[in-house]
Amino acid sequence: MRLLVRDRLLGIGDDYWIEDEHGRKVFLVDGKAMRLRDTFQLKDAHGRVLIDIHQKMLALRDTMVIERDGEGLATIRRKRLSLLRNHYRVSLAEGTELDVSGKILDHEFAIEYGGELLAVISRRWLHLRDTYGVDIVRDDADPALLIAVAVCVIHLAQKEREDH
């Protein structure tokens, strides 16, 4: 499954559609303005909330939390010792982890589970300006979760760059 994301610097309060490769709207990323913490919702094409994403308050490092139906699904934070590449750890509620690594700000990175590739986020194979793709390579993967992870790591990397 390949999804296309029109790239703009996502500010809180910004909304944007994620489309499939045929131009059909699949997900809406709804940025919530006027909140104490960074908050987004991932909605389906009919406006139903699939996933809530918010910044964890009172964390030592910037951390994003992904919830589905009010239940914690994943926590995302940057790995401490990642010298050469951007590396993020996604701790899933069930106790397992996803690994996100690559050039996050260039939108060239991968999401893996146990060393197995789940999704590739890339601009390389697209000719549309200001667009990146999310190529989900496993049929049994959760597209909404993988989109939410991509949104979180890009947001965290942009925020880290602004803070330095």
Side-chain angles (χ1 to χ4, degrees):
M1 170 185 254
R2 181 170 286 172
L3 301 169
L4 305 176
V5 182
R6 304 272 181 241
D7 186 26
R8 7 182 215 171
L9 285 178
L10 179 66
I12 303 307
D14 285 349
D15 300 344
Y16 59 93
W17 282 100
I18 298 171
E19 301 171 350
D20 67 11
E21 55 195 317
H22 306 291
R24 290 185 296 256
K25 294 177 179 176
V26 179
F27 298 111
L28 173 69
V29 178
D30 183 2
K32 299 295 179 184
M34 307 304 291
R35 304 281 170 97
L36 289 175
R37 58 187 178 186
D38 298 345
T39 304
F40 308 93
Q41 288 182 324
L42 185 66
K43 298 178 178 180
D44 68 11
H46 305 290
R48 288 186 299 259
V49 176
L50 302 174
I51 289 182
D52 287 296
I53 305 166
H54 61 85
Q55 180 181 5
K56 186 173 183 176
M57 300 301 285
L58 305 174
L60 293 176
R61 292 181 286 154
D62 282 339
T63 303
M64 300 292 287
V65 175
I66 298 173
E67 295 178 344
R68 180 177 279 147
D69 299 324
E71 299 288 324
L73 189 59
T75 303
I76 301 170
R77 64 178 54 94
R78 184 177 173 148
K79 282 188 174 181
R80 287 188 189 171
L81 300 174
S82 56
L83 302 174
L84 299 176
R85 309 172 81 186
N86 293 122
H87 238 100
Y88 288 82
R89 175 177 291 126
V90 181
S91 301
L92 300 174
E94 73 222 21
T96 59
E97 291 185 349
L98 302 179
D99 186 58
V100 181
S101 63
K103 297 177 181 177
I104 308 296
L105 290 173
D106 292 335
H107 299 82
E108 298 291 338
F109 60 95
I111 303 172
E112 296 180 343
Y113 173 73
E116 187 175 340
L117 187 63
L118 295 180
V120 175
I121 291 72
S122 181
R123 283 197 161 124
R124 272 183 268 158
W125 30 265
L126 294 174
H127 300 292
L128 300 171
R129 192 170 155 256
D130 297 330
T131 302
Y132 65 92
V134 178
D135 197 11
I136 300 170
V137 297
R138 283 203 33 178
D139 292 336
D140 62 344
D142 181 346
L145 174 61
L146 294 175
I147 289 292
V149 167
V151 167
C152 286
V153 298
I154 291 169
H155 180 75
L156 286 170
Q158 287 172 343
K159 191 172 179 181
E160 184 179 312
R161 181 177 65 184
E162 290 169 6
D163 291 346
H164 285 82

